[in-house]
Amino acid sequence: RVQPVESGGGSVQTGGSLILACTASGWTASSDCMTWFRHPPGKRPELESEDVADISTRGLTRYADSVKGRFTISHDADRNTVYLQMINLKPDDTGVYVCAPGDWEDGICYAAAGYWGQGTHVTVSS
């Protein structure tokens, strides 16, 4: 598997928008899917993370209830990049957003251990 690199984080006000990018060359050759998850800044991601959105190599998607209707995950195969478009951001969306390749099972992408990116910070102020 390939460890991805995230980008696109930043600071916005409530109601703002951001587009995050997760790039991993050739990731589809060894993984079924890519997942975006987030954790509070300063917290251990393996203990306090929320799986935000998943996309399979076949284009299937899954979203956490907390982001449905506001976040959209997509895959640009030519750029080896998975995007997370976020609109109508809320303070509760603040966190470190991490992407990871994984295995698709029963409609969920299970991130492969050891292949998480470093994350990109998102801060939403009220």
Side-chain angles (χ1 to χ4, degrees):
R1 300 189 197 260
V2 181
Q3 185 171 23
V5 176
E6 304 93 340
S7 62
S11 297
V12 298
Q13 293 186 326
T14 297
S17 303
L18 286 171
I19 299 177
L20 307 184
C22 168
T23 302
S25 180
W27 71 270
T28 58
S30 56
S31 299
D32 298 330
C33 56
M34 191 73 79
T35 180
W36 278 101
F37 58 92
R38 63 188 180 192
H39 64 87
K43 302 294 184 181
R44 293 176 61 182
E46 61 270 26
L47 298 179
E48 298 187 50
S49 289
E50 177 186 16
D51 186 353
V52 172
D54 307 330
I55 188 165
S56 76
T57 53
R58 294 182 296 160
L60 300 174
T61 59
R62 186 204 70 86
Y63 297 94
D65 288 343
S66 59
V67 307
K68 281 181 181 177
R70 300 187 299 120
F71 289 15
T72 302
I73 190 170
S74 61
H75 175 217
D76 185 333
D78 291 338
R79 297 178 183 271
N80 292 307
T81 300
V82 172
Y83 296 99
L84 185 66
Q85 182 179 6
M86 308 185 294
I87 65 171
N88 192 20
L89 284 162
K90 306 174 181 179
D92 285 348
D93 295 318
T94 293
V96 180
Y97 284 69
V98 180
C99 67
D103 301 308
W104 188 266
E105 184 173 340
D106 294 330
I108 298 174
C109 184
Y110 291 91
Y115 293 92
W116 300 358
Q118 292 299 307
T120 185
H121 289 245
V122 172
T123 302
V124 185
S125 58
S126 57

